[in-house]
Amino acid sequence: MSQYDVLCIGNAIVDIIARAEDDFLRENNIIRGAMNLIDAERAELLYDRMGPAVETSGGSAGNTAAGVASLGGTAAFFGKVSDDALGDIYRHDIRAQGVAFDTHALNGHPPTARSMIFVTPDGERSMNTYLGACVELGPEDVEEEKAAGAKVTYFEGYLWDPPRAKTAIRETARIAHENGREVAMTLSDPFCVDRYREEFLDLMRSGTVDIVFANEEETKSLYQTGDLETAREALAADCKIAIVTRSEKGSMIINGDGAHIPIDADPVDNLVDTTGAGDLYAAGFLYGYTNGMDMQACGRLGSLAASIIIQQIGPRAQVSLRQAAIDAGLIRS
């Protein structure tokens, strides 16, 4: 028997979210729509300059774990926080969502990671992330029982920046595969793909990763092409299953035989904040996948979860995703 549907590995980050105009981004040299890594000094500067903000636990894979739990699945998380106020917030929030989180905290330094997220009027988010304690995640934080017991282990490409985290991910993947489990990753960001293109491709081609999540821009960046069809064919050759999200155009699920399944986007009445859209799509898909649903149903669950999250501020669902899925006829009560 599996202990968890999904084990997520990622950066444990507290999001500090504020609205901003495009002029503010330009004046502060913030790359629009991207995740910008910053140091502690710039984190303090941007925090001082931002307007009224909402603090909420985030981090890409943490958001996915919380989404799986909100759908009624069982989820666990590996991620590093510090023994400080933000670390306490993060630990409380993810456990309150029903996610098993037992990674040992650091003794105060470096501090817990935080991301200043500026949301422009069109709902686009520009992230400025100080990784802090995240960079200290290492192989000693791999809990073998969780790694062996999760149907799918899912990690974020963002976590490929801290070197010791790579070792932790590879060790978790080894344990997962030795126990007949599968490993998934999200490419996270085009700039992340640019930094680690060859390593990401090797993870896929070596079989370390079975399932890949990416948006359209990340997919094209991975294969250095402007043509999505060319990238799609390459993805089909490189991994067992790939999911490419395309915002309002929906998504496509690509099997290793080259066939692809188009999935419509769910309607959005009020776009508020795109933070977490891809994370929650992954949550919906992985919940369906680990609970025996067909690919079409997995994609529809992903679209539903993504549409809900972008109609609120913050990346953790403020309503029951399970109830929403029941109401939509996607899962049974």
Side-chain angles (χ1 to χ4, degrees):
M1 292 292 291
S2 174
Q3 186 179 5
Y4 298 101
D5 293 325
V6 185
L7 164 64
C8 296
I9 311 175
N11 288 321
I13 299 171
V14 175
D15 291 339
I16 303 170
I17 307 169
R19 297 192 176 278
E21 299 295 329
D22 286 311
D23 287 347
F24 179 90
L25 303 186
R26 286 190 290 270
E27 290 165 3
N28 287 278
N29 298 314
I30 295 169
I31 301 174
R32 192 179 194 279
M35 194 280 282
N36 311 284
L37 289 176
I38 60 175
D39 59 19
E41 184 179 356
R42 182 157 172 79
E44 298 245 351
L45 174 70
L46 291 178
Y47 183 76
D48 287 342
R49 292 181 178 178
M50 71 194 311
V54 174
E55 290 186 0
T56 178
S57 296
S60 177
N63 296 338
T64 298
V68 170
S70 183
L71 282 161
T74 52
F77 179 69
F78 295 167
K80 206 73 169 174
V81 297
S82 198
D83 187 14
D84 57 17
L86 288 183
D88 290 344
I89 289 171
Y90 192 92
R91 186 182 300 104
H92 170 270
D93 286 356
I94 198 164
R95 287 177 174 173
Q97 292 271 357
V99 177
F101 176 44
D102 301 300
T103 308
H104 291 299
L106 290 176
N107 188 23
H109 187 78
T112 297
R114 70 288 312 267
S115 183
M116 271 61 68
I117 301 177
F118 298 96
V119 182
T120 42
D122 62 353
E124 183 62 271
R125 80 283 186 272
S126 303
M127 299 179 289
N128 302 268
T129 303
Y130 168 58
L131 289 175
C134 290
V135 302
E136 300 300 324
L137 184 74
E140 69 278 7
D141 295 308
V142 175
E143 300 166 56
E144 186 166 353
E145 185 178 353
K146 289 186 174 74
K151 296 175 186 175
V152 173
T153 289
Y154 170 88
F155 69 91
E156 60 187 73
Y158 287 137
L159 199 56
W160 218 245
D161 284 304
R164 296 180 69 249
K166 295 181 184 182
T167 305
I169 290 169
R170 290 186 184 278
E171 174 64 8
T172 307
R174 180 191 66 78
I175 296 169
H177 283 136
E178 284 183 355
N179 286 273
R181 310 304 189 181
E182 291 179 293
V183 177
M185 75 171 293
T186 172
L187 298 186
S188 292
D189 186 281
F191 294 96
C192 193
V193 174
D194 288 341
R195 290 194 295 274
Y196 301 112
R197 180 176 293 106
E198 294 307 316
E199 291 180 65
F200 285 176
L201 287 169
D202 179 68
L203 287 170
M204 295 158 57
R205 291 167 179 168
S206 68
T208 303
V209 166
D210 306 290
I211 304 169
V212 173
F213 292 84
N215 65 27
E216 185 170 352
E217 188 177 356
E218 292 155 5
T219 305
K220 292 176 181 176
S221 175
L222 183 65
Y223 294 104
Q224 297 180 287
T225 176
D227 180 54
L228 183 59
E229 179 64 21
T230 299
R232 182 184 70 80
E233 291 176 0
L235 263 180
D238 283 343
C239 56
K240 178 181 173 182
I241 300 171
I243 300 92
V244 179
T245 57
R246 307 182 67 202
S247 300
E248 71 277 1
K249 297 177 184 176
S251 59
M252 64 174 73
I253 302 169
I254 304 162
N255 291 327
D257 59 7
H260 74 279
I261 302 166
I263 306 293
D264 290 335
D266 268 41
V268 174
D269 296 326
N270 182 30
L271 176 60
V272 174
D273 173 15
T274 59
T275 307
D279 306 334
L280 270 293
Y281 184 101
F285 182 94
L286 289 172
Y287 172 83
Y289 185 74
T290 56
N291 282 275
M293 298 183 183
D294 62 40
M295 289 291 151
Q296 184 79 29
C298 292
R300 290 183 63 202
L301 263 180
S303 290
L304 174 68
S307 72
I308 289 171
I309 214 66
I310 64 177
Q311 296 183 77
Q312 63 165 59
I313 287 286
R316 301 283 172 91
Q318 297 165 13
V319 298
S320 166
L321 295 180
R322 182 171 187 82
Q323 189 59 54
I326 291 170
D327 293 344
L330 297 180
I331 60 177
R332 295 178 181 175
S333 57

